[in-house]
Amino acid sequence: MHISGRTRLIAHLGYPTESFKAPMIYNPWFENQSVDVKVVPMGIKPEDYASLIPALFSLTNIAGALVTMPHKVATCGLVDRMSPTAQIAGACNAIRREADGSLTGDMFDGDGFVRGIQRKGFGTVGARAMVVGSGGVGSAIAASLAAAGVSALTLYDARESTAHALADRLQGHYPQLELTVMDNDPAGHGLVVNASPLGMLPADPLPMDVQRIEPGTFVGEVVMKQTFTPFLQAAMARGCPVQPGTDMLFEMIPAYLDFFHLPVATPDRLRMLAEIHD
Amino acid sequence: MHISGRTRLIAHLGYPTESFKAPMIYNPWFENQSVDVKVVPMGIKPEDYASLIPALFSLTNIAGALVTMPHKVATCGLVDRMSPTAQIAGACNAIRREADGSLTGDMFDGDGFVRGIQRKGFGTVGARAMVVGSGGVGSAIAASLAAAGVSALTLYDARESTAHALADRLQGHYPQLELTVMDNDPAGHGLVVNASPLGMLPADPLPMDVQRIEPGTFVGEVVMKQTFTPFLQAAMARGCPVQPGTDMLFEMIPAYLDFFHLPVATPDRLRMLAEIHD
């Protein structure tokens, strides 16, 4: 199914764009389903983003937008309404235009992460979890973990105020949740997650002291630069079950598809069709 | 070659988009050449167009824009400089972003038309030509015919002031050109061109009195709704050599490709690769 004048667009917004994977996951699925929609990467710098959004959604053939770094937080100020998860996360990774022209923002990073670890057998209810990184994706994962019933959350971010702000938003929605802020010692947690950018660059330090991760602790990653980052490799060497960043990506796509009112696929089906060649 | 984060975009701007053909002509050529560029249709209404252009060209992976109805004239006010042909035409159908971020507009409709008739053996130097329709495409064809050395041009437009304004712009650049305004009698011309929208709708009248076209007169058309419009069919019945609107389209593409600094193909090669199924 080729691009034509009848093709509707899902803009994939971020900067830089080189590592984008969504076009190679969504587009084969749309082709498989004979749905005339294409995910199209659009690189946009932070200083130009606020002007782009209204212009982009004035296109007559725009179906929606996938939002990635560095625009997830800024999107909150550019949509007309947000889901509760997006509100806690303080970030959106999806924008949909409603029939009346208004824009709705939602956030599926956290849902994708939680769906993935649950399908791998991790029981979230009552678990003690640590999330390193309180930016868009870290906040989303924390929000989704709280919604999935964890009893305790430990938060850490290089910017201390960011971690505290997330804790405040979580506490407002989940007053019974046990929150610890600015600790990145993985010991004593059933789940530890790297939701920081550490691992994007080869020279990056590990996001926590891996020697303190207990064998049996479930270890999750959001960096997708490579399937098994140095952090995940170290965790696997300790015998820990892991979830790579790309799993989160595939797990969240059914939620996205539903949000855009498009045919929904299972993560496995999407992965089978995807044209990603590392 | 699939869409990825490395793909550069050529926006195809117009409204409505359903009849767009450029994506199915350019994209197979880019694929053939392993050039990671895609022509992507973007439907945009006139009232939203001026805001879109700066936002669109703030994208980091935009390679340029193809502009079609109804935006060719409005584009002149949105670019930083125009070619002489675009200035005479008073219209642009291509926008390129320069290294310094400024925008250059150009107009290839006329070049495409003239390249096509020349390749079919029509000698433009010293010819007497009539162009019916003084809008964007008619003005562009008139400008390119003047540049190609015709000695006389007869202009006609349903809006009389539009035809006179074109004549004035032409005369300013080509003081030696013999201009006749508001005559649509084809007799006495070696070339007659329908550059009006007549032929888009089944009920349209013919753009001129076909009985007055002399056998041997070369007859050109810009309407692409069907290859041989009723006008061209009538001309062919009189024994006239003709050029359909789609020929102009394929002939102008090499000029566009050159403008965007992309690999150039011959019109025949493009036509062979095109994925247009009428």
Side-chain angles (χ1 to χ4, degrees), chain B residues 29-189:
Chain B
W29 169 243
F30 296 149
E31 187 124 358
N32 177 275
Q33 295 288 295
S34 300
V35 170
D36 197 354
V37 172
K38 286 275 186 289
V39 170
V40 175
M42 298 190 187
I44 184 78
K45 294 183 181 173
E47 61 268 31
D48 298 317
Y49 185 67
S51 305
L52 178 68
I53 292 301
L56 181 67
F57 281 94
S58 73
L59 295 180
T60 58
N61 61 329
I62 190 87
L66 310 177
V67 180
T68 189
M69 291 192 294
H71 305 307
K72 292 183 188 184
V73 173
T75 300
C76 297
L78 301 169
V79 296
D80 299 296
R81 74 191 64 77
M82 286 191 281
S83 70
T85 303
Q87 287 175 38
I88 295 175
C92 295
N93 67 1
I95 309 172
R96 181 180 67 202
R97 183 178 55 188
E98 308 300 342
D100 65 359
S102 67
L103 301 182
T104 299
D106 210 331
M107 180 60 171
F108 299 111
D109 284 342
D111 276 8
F113 182 87
V114 169
R115 285 174 188 228
I117 61 173
Q118 288 175 335
R119 289 214 314 152
K120 290 181 178 72
F122 183 81
T124 48
V125 175
R128 303 182 69 83
M130 180 174 84
V131 179
V132 172
S134 303
V137 61
S139 298
I141 289 172
S144 293
L145 285 172
V150 300
S151 62
L153 263 178
T154 303
L155 306 176
Y156 179 86
D157 195 282
R159 303 151 300 177
E160 189 168 337
S161 62
T162 304
H164 280 290
L166 171 57
D168 290 346
R169 294 197 301 277
L170 281 164
Q171 203 76 85
H173 282 76
Y174 300 96
Q176 81 292 5
L177 184 65
E178 182 191 329
L179 279 159
T180 307
V181 184
M182 291 311 288
D183 185 356
N184 70 348
D185 179 359
H189 295 93

Side-chain angles (χ1 to χ4, degrees), chain A residues 53-188:
Chain A
I53 292 301
L56 182 67
F57 281 94
S58 73
L59 295 181
T60 58
N61 61 329
I62 189 86
L66 310 176
V67 180
T68 188
M69 290 191 293
H71 305 307
K72 292 182 189 184
V73 173
T75 300
C76 297
L78 300 170
V79 296
D80 299 296
R81 72 193 64 78
M82 286 191 283
S83 71
T85 303
Q87 286 174 39
I88 295 176
C92 296
N93 67 2
I95 308 173
R96 181 180 66 203
R97 183 178 56 186
E98 308 298 345
D100 66 358
S102 67
L103 301 180
T104 299
D106 209 332
M107 181 59 172
F108 299 110
D109 284 343
D111 277 7
F113 183 87
V114 169
R115 285 175 189 226
I117 61 174
Q118 287 175 335
R119 291 215 312 156
K120 290 180 178 70
F122 182 82
T124 48
V125 176
R128 303 181 69 84
M130 180 173 84
V131 179
V132 173
S134 304
V137 62
S139 297
I141 289 172
S144 292
L145 286 171
V150 301
S151 63
L153 262 178
T154 302
L155 305 176
Y156 179 86
D157 194 281
R159 302 151 301 176
E160 188 167 339
S161 62
T162 303
H164 279 288
L166 171 58
D168 290 346
R169 294 196 302 276
L170 282 163
Q171 203 77 84
H173 281 75
Y174 301 96
Q176 81 292 6
L177 184 64
E178 182 190 331
L179 279 159
T180 308
V181 183
M182 291 312 287
D183 185 355
N184 69 348
D185 179 358

Side-chain angles (χ1 to χ4, degrees), chain A residues 186-198:
Chain A
H189 295 93
L191 170 69
V192 297
V193 186
N194 175 40
S196 82
L198 292 176

Side-chain angles (χ1 to χ4, degrees), chain A residues 2-7 9 13-20 23-24 27 38-45 48 51-52 55-56 58-61 275 277, chain B residues 2-7 9 13-20 23-24 27 38-45 48 51-52 55-56 58-61 275 277:
Chain A
H2 303 288
I3 299 173
S4 79
R6 292 189 168 79
T7 304
L9 310 177
L13 304 172
Y15 181 77
T17 64
E18 281 69 19
S19 64
F20 281 10
M24 293 86 89
N27 292 340
K38 286 276 185 289
V39 170
V40 175
M42 297 190 188
I44 183 78
K45 294 183 180 173
D48 299 316
S51 306
L52 178 68
L56 182 67
S58 73
L59 295 181
T60 58
N61 61 329
E275 283 152 355
H277 312 288
Chain B
H2 301 289
I3 299 172
S4 80
R6 292 188 170 80
T7 303
L9 310 178
L13 303 172
Y15 181 77
T17 64
E18 282 69 18
S19 65
F20 280 12
M24 294 86 89
N27 292 340
K38 286 275 186 289
V39 170
V40 175
M42 298 190 187
I44 184 78
K45 294 183 181 173
D48 298 317
S51 305
L52 178 68
L56 181 67
S58 73
L59 295 180
T60 58
N61 61 329
E275 283 152 354
H277 313 287

